[in-house]
Amino acid sequence: MGLDGGTAGGRFLDAAIGLLERLRDDEGERITAAGELIADTVVAGGRLFAFGAGHSSLAAQDLVYRAGGLALMNLLAVPGAVGVDVMPATLGSALERVDGLATAVLDSSPLRAGDLLVVISLSGRNALPVEMASHARELGVKVIGVTSVAYATETTSRHSSGTFLKDHCDLVLDSKIAVGDAELTLDTIPAPFAPASTVVTSAILQSVMATAAASLADRGVEPPLLRSGNVDGGLDWNDRVMREYGDRIFYLR
């Protein structure tokens, strides 16, 4: 039996579907441009990286070592800020507000001019994603930001520059998520609930990756895609791709 729009579960799915339809209609050109930028980087010999802190890291991790995804996407990790595995979990949120941390991470990372970095931050207001994007561009790295632009008009920046992630990107993808990241309310529940940012952000990025793969194929380049290790032949396929592109894959080291 399916969920109907009168249930909380059904209302959440309807809200998520509505957001995805809005992204398809409003962000389509920018999604295409982001996919082309990634394809340009692959063809030029650049490397691909993704960064997100806290729950934004979930969407970044979904791009890395992923069946059906580009083998070249690497996770740029900031110790203590990847997911919610640090104890206490609130430490990760505190680290996002520390000036200088992103610069230290980037300066000790393998990123170099000609690479591409995807920076994911729902609010885009904290020091870590702002500095990550701005310093990456100083290093000659192209930056794609995935954020909710609404935060830039409804909140204040927590970075010393007073700027947001969106102000330091070559290309911005707006997730359209409302400030507070909760899609539902009920009279019987005192706080809004049911966040959709992970669903929506992952969908945006997989759409970008699909565009990049198709663009590479259109240029006569076989996209360096991974296959599931749980299908026959998948492991052998992946071994071949990793040998061919091993100098651009950092999660194997």
Side-chain angles (χ1 to χ4, degrees):
M1 183 176 179
L3 292 172
D4 63 52
T7 65
R11 286 175 58 206
F12 173 77
L13 292 175
D14 287 344
I17 290 168
L19 283 164
L20 293 176
E21 289 177 336
R22 186 178 172 194
L23 289 169
R24 180 196 60 205
D25 296 340
D26 296 351
E27 295 295 301
E29 289 186 6
R30 282 175 286 277
I31 287 171
T32 298
E36 294 289 349
L37 188 55
I38 288 174
D40 290 344
T41 304
V42 173
V43 170
R47 293 90 58 81
L48 306 175
F49 296 84
F51 165 78
H55 287 92
S56 290
S57 181
L58 297 175
Q61 292 179 63
D62 191 49
L63 300 176
V64 179
Y65 189 48
R66 189 70 164 88
L70 291 176
L72 306 189
M73 184 60 74
N74 301 278
L75 184 68
L76 183 63
V78 175
V82 180
V84 291
D85 57 339
V86 64
M87 296 296 289
T90 51
L91 174 60
S93 297
L95 289 173
E96 289 187 60
R97 299 191 288 271
V98 175
D99 281 8
L101 179 57
T103 293
V105 168
L106 283 173
D107 287 347
S108 61
S109 79
L111 265 85
R112 65 189 185 196
D115 291 346
L116 182 143
L117 174 63
V118 178
V119 179
I120 306 158
S121 173
L122 177 61
S123 73
R125 70 186 297 215
N126 288 311
L128 190 53
V130 171
E131 188 179 318
M132 188 70 71
S134 63
H135 190 55
R137 293 182 81 191
E138 290 173 357
L139 297 174
V141 174
K142 294 290 186 183
V143 176
I144 296 172
V146 185
T147 187
S148 171
V149 173
Y151 277 83
T153 57
E154 298 182 39
T155 69
T156 58
S157 171
R158 287 176 173 154
H159 187 250
S160 56
S161 67
T163 60
F164 287 77
L165 168 60
K166 73 174 186 64
D167 300 315
H168 302 282
C169 300
D170 295 280
L171 184 65
V172 175
L173 299 172
D174 183 3
S175 66
K176 314 291 187 184
I177 297 293
V179 173
D181 192 17
E183 294 299 317
L184 301 184
T185 58
L186 281 175
D187 292 341
T188 54
I189 299 177
F193 61 103
S197 61
T198 302
V199 173
V200 170
T201 303
S202 291
I204 293 171
L205 289 169
Q206 291 301 343
S207 180
V208 169
M209 294 300 142
T211 301
S215 177
L216 288 168
D218 288 343
R219 305 179 196 199
V221 177
E222 179 185 321
L225 297 168
L226 294 173
R227 301 189 71 177
S228 171
N230 296 312
V231 300
D232 291 342
L235 293 176
D236 290 338
W237 174 284
N238 292 343
D239 285 344
R240 174 185 65 81
V241 172
M242 289 176 178
R243 283 195 305 271
E244 184 175 349
Y245 289 95
D247 61 330
R248 293 196 253 175
I249 300 175
F250 294 92
Y251 53 82
L252 296 176
R253 305 175 187 179

